[in-house]
Amino acid sequence: MAEQTLQDQVSPEVRARVQDSFDRQGLMRHLGARLTHIAPGRVHITLARQPEVSQQHGYVHAGATSAIADSAGGYAAFTLFPENSTVLTVEYKINLLAPAAGDHIEAVGTVLRSGRTLTVCQLEVFSQEEEKRTLIATGQQTLICLASRPDH
Amino acid sequence: MAEQTLQDQVSPEVRARVQDSFDRQGLMRHLGARLTHIAPGRVHITLARQPEVSQQHGYVHAGATSAIADSAGGYAAFTLFPENSTVLTVEYKINLLAPAAGDHIEAVGTVLRSGRTLTVCQLEVFSQEEEKRTLIATGQQTLICLASRPDH
Amino acid sequence: MAEQTLQDQVSPEVRARVQDSFDRQGLMRHLGARLTHIAPGRVHITLARQPEVSQQHGYVHAGATSAIADSAGGYAAFTLFPENSTVLTVEYKINLLAPAAGDHIEAVGTVLRSGRTLTVCQLEVFSQEEEKRTLIATGQQTLICLASRPDH
Amino acid sequence: MAEQTLQDQVSPEVRARVQDSFDRQGLMRHLGARLTHIAPGRVHITLARQPEVSQQHGYVHAGATSAIADSAGGYAAFTLFPENSTVLTVEYKINLLAPAAGDHIEAVGTVLRSGRTLTVCQLEVFSQEEEKRTLIATGQQTLICLASRPDH
């Protein structure tokens, strides 16, 4: 049980590494996105539905939905990477299943397979309206682990 | 030649319909994206590289790159839709080929196949640094044409 | 419990409809693929690893892996379609995670979201070597429900 | 002009390397697929429409269409790889645009971006019916270059 709990937590170093990188993403700050969960191979990012992230009908724009899904997957992969490495998205594919109509949306990135060079993540985005949680997007992402340059 | 020119231009009604819808996308305005070209089955959207749209290394975030690519494809499809219809992204896939390092990036959405229900678009994003234009992302998108509700 | 069991079973009509359609797929027969499980929204297809479906290193070819994944997703969607309808794959995306090295592989198609027009499925392919089951491919698929023509 | 012609041709060594690998793909032989064009960064594979590769309505099965598209992209990448390397498909996405209704279909794989580790290809499949050539599928593929083992 204790072991299980330990496995579910990232080290303080990894947590700081993820949070620092996230904080340097101007887009995430500009959209108002927040990092709400960091576990080994799993990261959640939350975004409030506001006019600044809307499409023409007032729902969250697919681009904003994708942006937090992409970052959630990227950081989920990053939690499993060695120190002094960096993560880049190679590609992703996302299906928009339902309008993002709740008060806020939450992207969940989960590592499906972690390799030395390539990592594959599952991306899910839920909209939350009071007690109701709806899957609004589902995707799949490929990431690459690169040695980071000294200045990053 | 004149015929060619005519075919390359959308009617004033279609142009207004696309521009109006774009102007109602809070996300595009919030990111500073601009609609720079509207032709039948092809739309360009431009975004300046600024801290507000950056990832952790200062390049344009894949999420912002995808957001304008998604909108460019959506409006490219929309130019060919009948009046009183609306466009929704079903899904897209995008490969990030190179860092978005120029002064600004331009997304080009092009209709590959236009059906009554479904439309398939090619998505390309270029970064522009002075005279140098580099393909930084390429994607493929499926869209659906729906009858619009009276209030949209 | 009994209710649960009933929900896990398709009606004899649906089962016959799926099996008949599968039996008319010349490719599935030519590859030696077999329909091994039909449940509401979930279908399994199994393929033995033989020289006829191999790539250059003797593993199952990504094309054969994809072919049974595509059919598994298509029939999973089909189990939920109304009578006198037909299913077409709009698009799919698949990540090949590991070489298909077992004695046989099994594709599992599962409906994630079933709409009136479009259905989205998750695709998984496992390789089976004695007791060891390995996820070798994961994908996502969009399908369309069409009214079938009288002769089909 | 001569220079252009030279650039359009692969060396006899590369040609032999591609043809040898193709000939070892049991699936391609079993389907009756033929390698019909090998250029630097571009490969064509042709498949006759026969009952052995059909889906339930008699058209070429999406799985067979995808299989030759995947191989065409893989070999297009392979033409640009160094000696003693091997190619693996990381992932691909394909949109099926129209039924594969002609006498035969032709897949064209074209390298969009060739990197040291990863290559991205465009996939197109055309159906040919007498003089009429129709785009029936379009896709995008990511491949990885690996050092080959001595026995391959």
Side-chain angles (χ1 to χ4, degrees):
Chain A
M1 187 62 160
E3 205 171 278
Q4 180 64 34
T5 308
L6 283 173
Q7 290 177 351
D8 282 340
Q9 300 209 344
V10 292
S11 69
E13 290 73 24
V14 168
R15 172 175 295 277
R17 195 146 54 92
V18 170
Q19 187 72 56
D20 287 357
S21 175
F22 184 86
D23 291 345
R24 278 184 281 120
Q25 292 202 335
L27 179 68
M28 289 296 114
R29 192 171 48 240
H30 190 54
L31 297 180
R34 287 175 310 114
L35 202 51
T36 46
H37 184 67
I38 308 171
R42 175 167 297 207
V43 162
H44 297 199
I45 294 176
T46 299
L47 180 69
R49 178 152 73 101
Q50 292 190 308
E52 287 78 10
V53 297
S54 69
Q55 35 87 292
Q56 69 276 24
H57 301 143
Y59 302 125
V60 179
H61 194 287
T65 301
S66 304
I68 64 166
D70 173 51
S71 277
Y75 287 120
F78 196 48
T79 61
L80 305 182
F81 282 7
E83 238 188 309
N84 297 319
S85 62
T86 191
V87 60
L88 282 180
T89 300
V90 171
E91 61 84 36
Y92 67 87
K93 178 256 206 288
I94 193 162
N95 275 70
L96 288 318
L97 303 178
D103 305 316
H104 67 267
I105 63 173
E106 182 183 62
V108 178
T110 307
V111 173
L112 287 181
R113 184 182 172 276
S114 177
R116 204 162 47 88
T117 306
L118 298 178
T119 292
V120 177
C121 283
Q122 181 185 29
L123 309 177
E124 293 168 299
V125 189
F126 301 90
S127 87
Q128 190 84 33
E129 191 155 17
E130 290 170 7
E131 293 308 292
K132 201 178 149 213
R133 189 171 163 89
T134 311
L135 182 68
I136 60 161
T138 180
Q140 213 167 284
Q141 182 190 33
T142 310
L143 305 119
I144 191 164
C145 178
L146 298 174
S148 69
R149 294 168 300 170
D151 61 321
H152 282 101
Chain B
M1 187 63 160
E3 205 169 278
Q4 180 65 33
T5 308
L6 282 173
Q7 290 177 351
D8 282 340
Q9 301 209 345
V10 292
S11 69
E13 290 73 24
V14 169
R15 171 176 295 275
R17 195 146 55 90
V18 170
Q19 186 72 56
D20 287 358
S21 175
F22 184 86
D23 291 345
R24 278 185 281 121
Q25 293 203 333
L27 179 68
M28 289 296 112
R29 192 172 47 240
H30 190 53
L31 297 180
R34 288 176 309 114
L35 203 49
T36 47
H37 185 67
I38 308 172
R42 174 166 298 206
V43 161
H44 297 198
I45 294 177
T46 299
L47 180 69
R49 178 153 74 101
Q50 292 189 308
E52 286 79 9
V53 297
S54 69
Q55 36 86 291
Q56 69 275 25
H57 302 143
Y59 302 126
V60 178
H61 193 288
T65 301
S66 304
I68 65 166
D70 173 51
S71 277
Y75 287 120
F78 197 48
T79 61
L80 305 182
F81 282 6
E83 239 187 311
N84 296 322
S85 62
T86 191
V87 60
L88 281 180
T89 300
V90 172
E91 61 83 36
Y92 68 86
K93 180 256 207 287
I94 192 161
N95 275 71
L96 288 317
L97 303 177
D103 305 318
H104 68 268
I105 63 172
E106 182 182 63
V108 178
T110 307
V111 173
L112 287 181
R113 183 180 172 276
S114 177
R116 204 162 48 88
T117 306
L118 297 178
T119 292
V120 177
C121 283
Q122 181 184 29
L123 309 177
E124 293 169 299
V125 188
F126 301 90
S127 86
Q128 191 83 33
E129 191 154 18
E130 291 171 6
E131 293 308 293
K132 200 177 150 214
R133 189 171 164 89
T134 310
L135 182 68
I136 60 161
T138 179
Q140 213 167 284
Q141 181 190 32
T142 310
L143 304 121
I144 191 164
C145 177
L146 299 174
S148 68
R149 295 168 299 172
D151 60 323
H152 283 100
Chain C
M1 187 64 158
E3 205 171 277
Q4 181 62 35
T5 309
L6 282 172
Q7 290 179 351
D8 282 339
Q9 301 209 343
V10 292
S11 68
E13 290 74 24
V14 169
R15 172 176 295 277
R17 194 147 55 91
V18 170
Q19 187 72 55
D20 287 358
S21 176
F22 184 87
D23 290 345
R24 278 184 281 120
Q25 293 203 334
L27 179 68
M28 289 297 112
R29 191 170 50 240
H30 190 53
L31 297 180
R34 288 176 307 115
L35 203 48
T36 46
H37 184 67
I38 308 172
R42 175 166 298 205
V43 161
H44 297 198
I45 294 176
T46 299
L47 180 69
R49 179 153 73 100
Q50 293 189 310
E52 286 79 10
V53 297
S54 70
Q55 37 86 292
Q56 69 276 24
H57 302 143
Y59 302 125
V60 178
H61 194 288
T65 301
S66 304
I68 64 166
D70 173 51
S71 276
Y75 287 119
F78 197 48
T79 60
L80 305 183
F81 282 6
E83 239 188 310
N84 296 321
S85 61
T86 190
V87 60
L88 281 181
T89 299
V90 172
E91 60 83 37
Y92 68 87
K93 179 255 206 289
I94 192 162
N95 275 72
L96 288 317
L97 303 177
D103 305 317
H104 68 268
I105 63 173
E106 181 183 63
V108 177
T110 308
V111 173
L112 287 182
R113 184 180 171 277
S114 176
R116 202 163 48 88
T117 306
L118 297 178
T119 292
V120 177
C121 283
Q122 182 184 28
L123 309 177
E124 293 169 299
V125 188
F126 300 90
S127 87
Q128 190 84 32
E129 190 154 19
E130 292 171 5
E131 292 308 292
K132 201 177 148 214
R133 188 171 164 89
T134 310
L135 182 68
I136 59 161
T138 179
Q140 213 167 284
Q141 181 190 35
T142 310
L143 305 120
I144 191 163
C145 177
L146 298 175
S148 68
R149 293 168 299 171
D151 61 323
H152 283 101
Chain D
M1 187 62 159
E3 205 170 277
Q4 180 63 36
T5 308
L6 283 172
Q7 290 178 350
D8 282 340
Q9 301 210 343
V10 292
S11 69
E13 289 74 23
V14 168
R15 172 176 295 276
R17 195 146 55 91
V18 170
Q19 187 72 55
D20 287 358
S21 175
F22 184 87
D23 291 345
R24 278 184 281 122
Q25 293 204 333
L27 180 68
M28 289 296 114
R29 191 171 48 240
H30 190 54
L31 296 180
R34 288 177 309 114
L35 203 49
T36 46
H37 184 67
I38 307 172
R42 175 166 298 206
V43 161
H44 297 199
I45 295 176
T46 299
L47 180 70
R49 179 153 73 100
Q50 292 190 308
E52 286 79 9
V53 297
S54 70
Q55 35 87 291
Q56 69 275 25
H57 303 144
Y59 302 125
V60 178
H61 193 288
T65 301
S66 304
I68 64 167
D70 172 52
S71 277
Y75 286 120
F78 197 47
T79 61
L80 306 182
F81 282 7
E83 239 187 309
N84 297 320
S85 61
T86 190
V87 60
L88 282 181
T89 299
V90 171
E91 61 84 35
Y92 68 87
K93 180 255 205 289
I94 193 161
N95 274 72
L96 289 316
L97 303 177
D103 305 317
H104 67 269
I105 63 172
E106 181 183 62
V108 178
T110 307
V111 173
L112 287 181
R113 184 181 171 276
S114 177
R116 201 160 49 87
T117 307
L118 296 178
T119 292
V120 177
C121 283
Q122 183 185 28
L123 309 177
E124 293 169 300
V125 188
F126 300 90
S127 87
Q128 190 83 33
E129 190 154 18
E130 289 171 8
E131 292 308 293
K132 200 177 149 216
R133 188 170 164 89
T134 310
L135 182 67
I136 60 160
T138 179
Q140 213 167 285
Q141 182 190 33
T142 309
L143 305 119
I144 192 163
C145 177
L146 298 174
S148 68
R149 293 168 301 170
D151 60 323
H152 283 101

